[in-house]
Amino acid sequence: MEETRTEVLVVGGGLGGVAAALTAARLGRTVVLTEPTDWLGGQLTAQAVPPDEHPWIEGPAAPPGYAELRRRVRDYYRRTYPLRRPDDPLLDPGLGIVSRMCHEPRVSVAVLEEMLAPWRSAGTVRVLTRHRPVAVHTSGDRIEAVTLQDLDTGTELTVSASYTLDATELGDLLELGGIEHVIGAEGRDTTGEPHAPDTADPLDQQAVSWCFALEHRPGEDHVVDRPAAYEDWKNRTAPFWPGSQLSWTDVHPITLKQRTWRLMDADREAGEHFDLFQFRRIRAREQFTDGAYGTDLTIVNWPQIDYWERPVLGVTEAEAEAALAATRELSLSFLHWMQTEAPRPDGGTGYPGLRLRPDVTGTADGLAKTPYIRESRRIQAEFTVLEQHVGVEARPLDSGSEIFADSVGLGSYRIDLHPSTAGRTYVDIEAYPFQIPLGALIPVRVDNLLPANKNIGTTHITNGCYRLHPVEWAIGEAVGALAAYCLDHDLPPRKVRSDQTRLADYQRLLGDTLGITLAWPEEVRTHRHM
């Protein structure tokens, strides 16, 4: 077995992992960054989820590295695509609904590689794609090393590090290392959160989704094979859902009222502001020169492909694999239904011209490389963010979010929980723009393990607003800087938080050196994220 050593080991190459690696490298530390797929970027790329962002993302509230990522994405399009308006400072390739900058996953892959390139050339950052963690080696309250398996060769590499950052999508190191953590839903009897279930349920976990890229070529036939589970999905109905998921009908996440979508050509006169195809559209023909592209491109990450039947955490490996296989079957079943049986406004059925785009997702079958994971294992942290800290209904009237003296970054999103494996429907409620407290990044026991993804000290409820792209990046920046600061001063992270002088010094590093904004303007902090 090969062995190597680094100062900072980042396991997981999603947005949090890349942000942590870049930040630690910029602060003079050597880094090994690992990723189980062949694409860096996590939910933005391998999971094929265009960025979900808040209204202030174009301003100073954006994490500096995330703002750089967004600038570079636009510059990439300006350099390489036939744009109609290349000088548009707010260029939006897809004109989607979820973001002001919906774009193709491959572009973000290229940009992230570009951002890492100088550090890789210098030998400061070593990137190991197609590697997954298989063992965590501990000594007392410290992680000594992590063993990684090369998924192509089967060989193993053990990396020892002063600091290990868990940026995996499911908090894998927490399980492998026996590090105190939580899965599923906490109970209201423990947290007091108004929207938590009465008692804890570890198997109450948000739906996962297997996204795919799609275009529509009228007059052509691109119908996929009928999945084996097609009839089962067509006839299955959840108690909280208005009918089959293979349908244009679902429920509004906030009001829970039944609604019916159009695939394309929303009826503006009937009050339809957008259609499903536009929702996460990543290429809009009108943004490019005439004739450059014959179709729009969209990402299917719609309510119809949410898989809520079985959890993927707290179960056996075989059960988790079966759940993910069913997730894929649901996505392919919905695609087949759209191609063959979906009602059209003209009275006909089916859109056989809907065509998978495997080149967009970088896969053979057109589905994303990995499923979209909304909820991870979460550390038992020195401080846990509750609904009472950020939820509008749980806060005093117009008070804004809780002000954290140990803030390390910002975020904003509704508390948005998709239907769960416990048979619960949406929990989608207002939240104030919030801060990320340092206490939520520090495990209760282990000294040199830091979370760098959706595995921080939130609850099942507050994970719903701390799980989005910019927040994940902000978490990564904060922990990358924290690891570097602790190495510089030979201090454990909990000492930085408990010592006011050290905390202030670390926050100056974040604010003055890295340009991270730590507090919202008062008029924004009290803004209700509708």
Side-chain angles (χ1 to χ4, degrees):
M1 179 188 298
E2 184 185 353
E3 297 182 3
T4 191
R5 175 160 185 85
T6 187
E7 291 176 310
V8 180
L9 170 62
V10 183
V11 183
L15 293 177
V18 172
L22 283 169
T23 306
R26 286 168 176 162
L27 293 174
R29 295 300 168 176
T30 59
V31 180
V32 170
L33 171 64
T34 78
E35 162 60 29
T37 74
D38 58 344
W39 275 7
L40 297 173
Q43 60 179 318
L44 185 60
T45 60
Q47 297 176 31
V49 181
D52 278 294
E53 297 173 333
H54 57 69
W56 305 279
I57 199 64
E58 303 286 353
Y66 190 78
E68 180 185 354
L69 167 66
R70 297 176 91 257
R71 287 194 300 270
R72 286 176 180 255
V73 165
R74 285 175 169 145
D75 288 345
Y76 187 98
Y77 273 92
R78 293 184 182 109
R79 293 196 311 268
T80 57
Y81 282 70
L83 296 169
R84 185 184 300 275
R85 293 177 292 276
D87 57 345
D88 181 359
L90 299 179
L91 173 65
D92 184 352
L95 296 177
I97 300 301
V98 299
S99 168
R100 300 178 191 176
M101 201 185 66
C102 286
H103 60 279
E104 297 176 44
R106 280 188 180 276
V107 175
S108 277
V109 174
V111 167
L112 291 170
E113 291 284 356
E114 185 179 80
M115 293 172 73
L116 284 163
W119 306 106
R120 296 178 74 172
S121 179
T124 305
V125 176
R126 179 184 178 187
V127 179
L128 301 172
T129 56
R130 299 284 297 158
H131 280 70
R132 69 179 181 97
V134 293
V136 172
H137 309 280
T138 62
S139 177
D141 294 336
R142 293 186 61 82
I143 290 179
E144 297 295 332
V146 175
T147 297
L148 304 152
Q149 182 185 57
D150 186 321
L151 294 175
D152 294 321
T153 67
T155 59
E156 293 185 350
L157 169 67
T158 295
V159 183
S160 56
S162 300
Y163 279 88
T164 297
L165 278 50
D166 185 345
T168 62
E169 296 300 323
L170 288 170
D172 295 338
L173 301 191
L174 306 182
E175 178 77 11
L176 289 171
I179 297 163
E180 294 81 357
H181 64 275
V182 179
I183 62 172
E186 295 87 351
R188 190 185 309 120
D189 56 350
T190 300
T191 67
E193 294 174 299
H195 288 88
D198 291 340
T199 58
D201 182 356
L203 300 184
D204 182 352
Q205 300 163 24
Q206 283 197 71
V208 299
S209 303
W210 215 304
C211 306
F212 52 93
L214 207 60
E215 66 179 345
H216 184 228
R217 304 178 71 89
E220 298 182 9
D221 186 349
H222 298 283
V223 176
V224 299
D225 292 340
R226 180 168 160 161
Y230 181 76
E231 286 297 326
D232 182 40
W233 283 114
K234 184 178 174 182
N235 296 319
R236 189 181 307 188
T237 302
F240 54 83
W241 211 248
S244 169
Q245 283 182 258
L246 308 190
S247 167
W248 297 136
T249 301
D250 63 7
V251 298
H252 192 287
I254 301 172
T255 66
L256 301 182
K257 292 182 178 179
Q258 184 172 313
R259 64 181 178 182
T260 300
W261 291 94
R262 289 176 185 250
L263 176 62
M264 292 172 283
D265 303 319
D267 187 345
R268 301 295 194 272
E269 293 183 0
E272 297 173 354
H273 301 295
F274 61 92
D275 49 57
L276 279 172
F277 211 86
Q278 185 186 355
F279 189 40
R280 295 182 186 272
R281 187 172 57 190
I282 56 174
R283 187 184 73 202
R285 283 170 292 174
E286 64 192 85
Q287 292 292 71
F288 303 88
T289 55
D290 290 342
Y293 301 108
T295 65
D296 289 356
L297 283 176
T298 195
I299 294 292
V300 176
N301 177 20
W302 307 337
Q304 290 88 344
I305 66 165
D306 278 5
Y307 177 79
W308 53 62
E309 297 288 327
R310 289 176 287 181
V312 296
L313 295 174
V315 296
T316 67
E317 184 175 351
E319 288 172 322
E321 289 177 354
L324 293 179
T327 306
R328 294 176 64 89
E329 281 271 296
L330 172 58
S331 292
L332 290 170
S333 294
F334 181 57
L335 171 60
H336 186 78
W337 175 84
M338 288 194 291
Q339 294 171 322
T340 60
E341 296 191 59
R344 302 194 307 259
D346 64 3
T349 55
Y351 294 83
L354 290 175
R355 179 189 178 206
L356 283 169
R357 287 291 302 267
D359 56 315
V360 173
T361 56
T363 60
D365 61 9
L367 272 65
K369 291 178 181 289
T370 57
Y372 176 32
I373 301 296
R374 295 181 175 89
E375 186 173 334
S376 171
R377 300 177 181 92
R378 305 181 296 278
I379 63 166
Q380 287 187 19
E382 285 200 341
F383 179 84
T384 301
V385 181
L386 305 177
E387 182 182 351
Q388 296 92 311
H389 297 126
V390 297
V392 170
E393 294 178 33
R395 300 281 297 160
L397 182 64
D398 297 327
S399 66
S401 58
E402 185 83 8
I403 297 174
F404 296 123
D406 63 344
S407 172
V408 296
L410 303 178
S412 181
Y413 204 73
R414 291 179 63 87
I415 292 175
D416 172 13
L417 276 68
H418 283 232
S420 85
T421 52
R424 173 192 44 74
T425 188
Y426 288 102
V427 175
D428 195 319
I429 54 178
E430 289 179 288
Y432 290 114
F434 51 81
Q435 296 171 307
I436 303 167
L438 177 58
L441 310 183
I442 301 176
V444 292
R445 178 180 58 85
V446 179
D447 287 328
N448 65 335
L449 181 284
L450 295 169
N453 201 314
K454 296 180 286 287
N455 50 353
I456 69 171
T458 56
T459 64
H460 175 73
I461 297 294
T462 55
N463 163 264
C465 61
Y466 276 77
R467 64 179 174 82
L468 286 307
H469 304 65
V471 184
E472 183 186 339
W473 188 283
I475 291 166
E477 282 185 338
V479 298
L482 181 60
Y485 182 87
C486 290
L487 284 166
D488 287 345
H489 299 278
D490 193 23
L491 292 169
R494 68 186 77 258
K495 178 66 173 176
V496 176
R497 179 172 181 255
S498 64
D499 185 318
Q500 292 304 304
T501 300
R502 292 296 188 183
L503 175 60
D505 193 33
Y506 165 59
Q507 289 177 318
R508 280 192 294 271
L509 171 69
L510 295 176
D512 297 345
T513 302
L514 298 176
I516 297 172
T517 303
L518 302 182
W520 288 101
E522 190 63 16
E523 66 274 13
V524 176
R525 187 181 67 84
T526 57
H527 180 89
R528 297 171 65 163
H529 201 131
M530 309 296 284

